[in-house]
Amino acid sequence: MENKPKLVISTGAGMSAESGINTFRDNGGLWENYDVMEVASAEGFARNPGLVHKFYNDRRKELVKAHPNLGHMGLVELEKYFDVYVITQNVDDLHERAGSKNVLHLHGELMKVRTINPPYKVYRLEEGNLETSPESTDSEGRHLRPHIVFFQEAVPEIENAIKLTEQADIFVVIGTSLAVYPAASLLHYVRPGVPIYYIDPHPAAVPSGVRVIKKGASEGVAQLIDELTRGKK
């Protein structure tokens, strides 16, 4: 059986924008309504855990009403032709719900909680039971927190993301300003000569040689599919 080329895709907030998931940094984004350091930082959680739990409870209620968009679906279609791995900054589960098989979440997962103290245990929340509070505990009485990488915390999956990026035969970035580190640094780990694509309606400056597709996720992924599978269908 022929080995498929490894296609590694790094996605940011713009990937889910068409699904109605609020981005944080755009005009009208969540950071205009909330102080990021109050609801998404380690210090904020220590200071006011109730506010942080409420913030993520509200995000979950939005997420269960959202659906994967054509961009998410397109990445699944690419699995016919490539060994696809998705590295996402997004905490939603839209890649998984679209059918992507290999998804690595850099910044945690909204639909999961974990114990505050090690050894950590992670639990998935079910629809109808999406709310947590500072009093929430697991069956062993250990207090729970959102399974989110807060600002001021390490990004535990970055080493795995770097390894995937180093193995890529094609590397694609979708829907990110390339301003959030360490995720933005992945570009530096792509092997010389490997094709790089960047899909974003408002692309940031990138090195020469990167193929920029100045479109949103759904239209951009459709064009990506066309370019990558030309002659394969």
Side-chain angles (χ1 to χ4, degrees), residues 49-89:
L51 176 66
V52 176
H53 277 280
K54 181 182 183 307
F55 177 78
Y56 288 103
N57 290 342
D58 291 344
R59 304 286 75 72
R60 291 185 200 106
K61 291 174 193 171
E62 291 176 356
L63 177 55
V64 295
K65 296 175 187 173
H67 300 281
N69 60 54
L70 292 174
H72 294 106
M73 302 295 192
L75 300 189
V76 179
E77 184 180 338
L78 283 167
E79 293 186 9
K80 297 175 188 174
Y81 309 97
F82 300 95
D83 189 11
V84 178
Y85 290 82
V86 176
I87 301 166
T88 187
Q89 298 173 50

Side-chain angles (χ1 to χ4, degrees), residues 86-89 96 102-106 157-158 160-161 164:
V86 176
I87 301 166
T88 187
Q89 298 173 50
E96 289 90 341
N102 303 303
V103 183
L104 185 153
H105 285 269
L106 279 180
E157 291 289 354
I158 190 62
N160 289 327
L164 281 175

Side-chain angles (χ1 to χ4, degrees), residues 83-180:
D83 189 11
V84 178
Y85 290 82
V86 176
I87 301 166
T88 187
Q89 298 173 50
N90 299 337
V91 297
D92 63 59
D93 58 355
L94 297 179
H95 282 299
E96 289 90 341
R97 281 159 58 188
S100 285
K101 293 186 181 70
N102 303 303
V103 183
L104 185 153
H105 285 269
L106 279 180
H107 296 159
E109 297 180 66
L110 185 54
M111 297 300 288
K112 293 181 180 180
V113 291
R114 74 168 184 265
T115 51
I116 289 177
N117 296 315
Y120 299 114
K121 283 192 177 179
V122 179
Y123 302 93
R124 182 171 180 83
L125 299 173
E126 300 302 329
E127 198 166 338
N129 186 29
L130 298 176
E131 296 207 0
T132 61
S133 74
E135 288 73 46
S136 296
T137 59
D138 68 2
S139 60
E140 298 172 17
R142 302 199 300 168
H143 284 90
L144 300 169
R145 56 163 276 179
H147 186 45
I148 301 291
V149 177
F150 293 141
F151 288 97
Q152 303 166 327
E153 292 182 331
V155 179
E157 291 289 354
I158 190 62
E159 291 301 324
N160 289 327
I162 289 170
K163 286 177 187 172
L164 281 175
T165 302
E166 290 173 335
Q167 296 166 3
D169 297 308
I170 303 169
F171 188 74
V172 180
V173 178
I174 305 174
T176 169
S177 61
L178 296 174
V180 179

Side-chain angles (χ1 to χ4, degrees), residues 24 31 34-45 47-48 51-52 55-56 145 148-153:
F24 285 93
W31 289 161
Y34 297 92
D35 180 340
V36 58
M37 298 311 285
E38 293 300 319
V39 297
S41 74
E43 287 180 358
F45 184 69
R47 187 164 46 244
N48 190 346
L51 176 66
V52 176
F55 177 78
Y56 288 103
R145 56 163 276 179
I148 301 291
V149 177
F150 293 141
F151 288 97
Q152 303 166 327
E153 292 182 331

